[in-house]
Amino acid sequence: MATTDLKLTLRKSAIGSTAKIRQTLTGLGLTRTNKTIVRKDTPELRGMVAKVRHLVDVEEIQC
């Protein structure tokens, strides 16, 4: 069974965002602009991504 990972890239700065948005980005591991991370696709991660979708690019990767 193939699992899905999400490749997240921070494209816009968090400057001017609320504290909750900045904390969500830190929780995801996105601390700098253009930083890319790969995480397992879980409902918790999807919720965090939905909160910051205007700042990040998301790609699904089949493993």
Side-chain angles (χ1 to χ4, degrees):
M1 181 171 152
T3 60
T4 304
D5 287 346
L6 293 179
K7 181 178 174 183
L8 307 170
T9 304
L10 182 61
R11 290 296 176 195
K12 290 188 173 184
S13 173
I15 294 173
S17 298
T18 63
K20 288 187 97 168
I21 299 263
R22 289 192 303 268
Q23 290 170 355
T24 302
L25 289 171
T26 302
L28 286 170
L30 295 170
T31 55
R32 292 173 295 165
T33 306
N34 293 322
K35 185 172 182 178
T36 301
I37 60 165
V38 177
R39 298 277 188 260
K40 297 240 184 269
D41 188 9
T42 63
E44 295 83 4
L45 183 73
R46 287 281 181 161
M48 293 173 80
V49 170
K51 188 169 191 133
V52 296
R53 67 183 174 272
H54 58 288
L55 300 175
V56 299
D57 286 341
V58 182
E59 294 179 43
E60 289 189 12
I61 302 170
Q62 295 294 327
C63 296

